[in-house]
Amino acid sequence: MTVNLLDFDLEGLAAFCEQLGEKRFRAVQLFRWIHQKGASRFDEMTDLAKSLREKLPSVADISDLPVLSRQDSADGTIKWLFDVGDGNAVETVFIPEDDRGTLCISSQAGCAVGCRFCSTGHQGFSRNLTTGEILAQLWHAEHFLRKHLNTSDRVVTNVVMMGMGEPLQNYTALVPVLRVMLDDHAYGLSRRRLTVSTSGVVPMMDRLAQDCPVALAVSLHAPHDALRDDLVPLNRKYPLSELLDACLRYLPAAPRDFITFEYCMLDGVNDQPEHALQLLDLLRKHRGSGVPCKINLIPFNPFPDSGLTCSPRPRVLEFARRLNDGGIVTTVRKTRGDDIDAACGQLAGDVLDRTNVAERMARRRDSVARPIRIVRTERQA
Ligand code: SAH
Ligand code: SF4
């Protein structure tokens, strides 16, 4: 059995080098080859001591995830479906914009939280991804994009843990992932360009504040407990007042002085004028002075059997206006990658039926050969 070097942050890699009888500083060289240059073979690593280069292949590897498919959207969004074994697949989405390139990464195969409006939640939980499997999504996307855009500049400038899964229910694997993303010898992202999105795993929010306080997005979706209990079942364990307390405790460590609340707009469910008023009340009055925050309204992306529909556009805009007028900066998320089902909550929707997974994957494999078109953004051109 070889060790996957994508499983290590720099500290872990240094310990591994020591175990091999090598100096710890070798780890920095190795780390840079892997993450900055995208090397997948040790014989490429020309400035690494020959003894180490010869030792490594028998004990270690750099293990990419097999790509089941790659699709590109007319708007430049790219979606990968990665095979994580046993009929499980996870998705990663790259969203190019004029001034940034955002990668949306998965943390679990499936999800145990089971939110009503989320297709991943409807799939149920398969397993946690390893550190190496989460990082491979960035490693693969970054170096694929650099090659195809013919650039040595960084392409992924922002990472959001908003793919499949609840990142704070895979905490042990997540923390080294974040450390590698932040490390200047690897991807060098700033803490404000790295966002963990959570449905509200309160104890782990506190630990994240201690261990690796990156930007935090909290999936709220409802202005009171009765509705949130129904939409986000985790609310029964950590109700709104505890969740908002945890947000207040997180803020002093956070890279920004506000929390982003995500709110999925569901027709007739949580999108009425009274919901906007209740939301304003909740967020402005919690513990007297409220929670410093911004709100991001996400138009619901429908999927089969959800029994839900998206609020009509005018109602979404009206809801945003009420919140803005009430003093909370509110934006409406642009939907990207619609034509390839890359939008929030649609991820791996078509591998939902697990009995069909092998057949579907075979079909996907056939589609890998399709040429892909990459739309260059201004910054990358
Ligand atoms: N589990 C984490 C992160 C992954 S979900 C969380 O829940 O925050 C990322 C975001 O997509 C969350 O805000 C989630 O509520 C939202 N989302 C899930 N399904 C959606 C759907 N069908 N339409 C729109 N947004 C959705
Ligand atoms: Fe899990 Fe997030 Fe989907 Fe809820 S919205 S089921 S927490 S992935």
Side-chain angles (χ1 to χ4, degrees):
M1 251 316 247
T2 50
V3 171
N4 178 10
L5 298 188
L6 293 181
D7 273 321
F8 293 131
D9 60 13
L10 187 52
E11 193 47 44
L13 198 57
F16 178 72
C17 285
E18 264 184 338
Q19 273 174 27
L20 294 181
E22 296 284 336
K23 294 273 189 309
R24 286 173 70 89
F25 77 86
R26 295 277 176 222
V28 175
Q29 282 180 303
L30 198 49
F31 203 59
R32 292 171 71 120
W33 271 107
I34 298 170
H35 295 289
Q36 289 188 338
K37 299 190 184 145
S40 58
R41 294 203 334 264
F42 300 115
D43 56 8
E44 293 173 60
M45 304 180 179
T46 43
D47 64 0
L48 207 62
K50 198 155 172 272
S51 64
L52 179 58
R53 238 187 299 158
E54 285 170 355
K55 216 181 287 176
L56 281 169
S58 59
V59 289
D61 59 15
I62 298 153
S63 184
D64 199 0
L65 287 173
V67 178
L68 289 167
S69 72
R70 191 179 68 222
Q71 288 173 279
D72 71 318
S73 162
D75 69 11
T77 301
I78 299 173
K79 179 171 88 166
W80 287 266
L81 185 71
F82 290 108
D83 185 354
V84 291
D86 297 327
N88 291 311
V90 297
E91 294 200 349
T92 307
V93 181
F94 177 68
I95 306 147
E97 288 173 280
D98 288 350
D99 59 344
R100 69 181 78 174
T102 303
L103 195 69
C104 178
I105 288 183
S106 296
S107 56
Q108 299 179 310
C111 181
V113 177
C115 299
R116 257 184 65 195
F117 50 84
C118 174
S119 86
T120 308
H122 279 232
Q123 271 180 63
F125 177 67
S126 290
R127 68 169 176 88
N128 279 328
L129 299 186
T130 62
T131 295
E133 288 169 330
I134 303 172
L135 267 177
Q137 298 170 60
L138 172 59
W139 183 82
H140 184 101
E142 173 68 30
H143 296 292
F144 165 86
L145 289 164
R146 277 192 209 177
K147 205 182 287 164
H148 283 256
L149 296 167
N150 200 14
T151 178
S152 52
D153 291 347
R154 206 185 286 163
V155 182
V156 175
T157 61
N158 295 57
V159 170
V160 292
M161 298 300 306
M162 291 186 186
M164 299 166 71
E166 170 49 59
L168 294 189
Q169 287 188 340
N170 186 11
Y171 191 78
T172 315
L174 178 72
V175 170
V177 165
L178 301 178
R179 292 200 172 122
V180 174
M181 290 173 174
L182 297 174
D183 199 310
D184 283 336
H185 295 296
Y187 302 93
L189 297 181
S190 72
R191 290 194 297 133
R192 48 173 61 218
R193 286 174 176 270
L194 175 51
T195 302
V196 168
S197 176
T198 181
S199 55
V201 191
V202 164
M204 295 301 148
M205 290 165 66
D206 288 328
R207 283 187 59 186
L208 191 67
Q210 295 283 316
D211 295 337
C212 200
V214 296
L216 190 67
V218 173
S219 296
L220 209 56
H221 310 306
H224 56 76
D225 282 321
L227 184 55
R228 196 164 190 271
D229 281 351
D230 181 43
L231 295 175
V232 184
L234 191 66
N235 195 68
R236 296 172 206 154
K237 194 159 182 195
Y238 306 113
L240 280 167
S241 65
E242 284 182 36
L243 177 56
L244 297 184
D245 282 348
C247 291
L248 289 177
R249 290 194 298 274
Y250 193 84
L251 275 166
R256 296 178 190 268
D257 53 9
F258 60 88
I259 300 282
T260 303
F261 289 116
E262 292 158 284
Y263 194 99
C264 182
M265 296 297 288
L266 302 164
D267 186 16
V269 176
N270 64 356
D271 63 349
Q272 300 299 304
E274 72 260 25
H275 295 125
L277 288 177
Q278 289 161 352
L279 194 55
L280 282 169
D281 243 29
L282 177 77
L283 297 177
R284 285 190 319 198
K285 295 189 184 153
H286 184 71
R287 301 276 170 229
S289 46
V291 183
C293 64
K294 291 187 181 174
I295 297 176
N296 196 215
L297 301 180
I298 317 174
F300 170 63
N301 293 300
F303 58 94
D305 304 326
S306 69
L308 297 162
T309 47
C310 182
S311 312
R313 186 81 185 162
R315 204 177 309 147
V316 176
L317 297 178
E318 171 64 12
F319 201 83
R321 189 192 59 74
R322 284 177 191 274
L323 295 174
N324 277 311
D325 287 354
I328 300 185
V329 173
T330 302
T331 49
V332 179
R333 186 174 298 168
K334 273 184 286 180
T335 303
R336 298 286 303 263
D338 238 3
D339 50 337
I340 56 168
D341 284 353
C344 306
Q346 289 182 321
L347 302 183
D350 50 358
V351 289
L352 213 162
D353 179 354
R354 295 168 57 80
T355 54
N356 274 344
V357 89
E359 181 201 322
R360 280 159 191 268
M361 285 186 178
R363 237 190 298 136
R364 292 272 191 172
R365 252 179 223 113
D366 295 341
S367 72
V368 173
R370 252 193 341 223
I372 86 149
R373 176 169 35 95
I374 297 190
V375 178
R376 280 171 180 246
T377 66
E378 291 290 307
R379 195 185 50 75
Q380 291 153 1

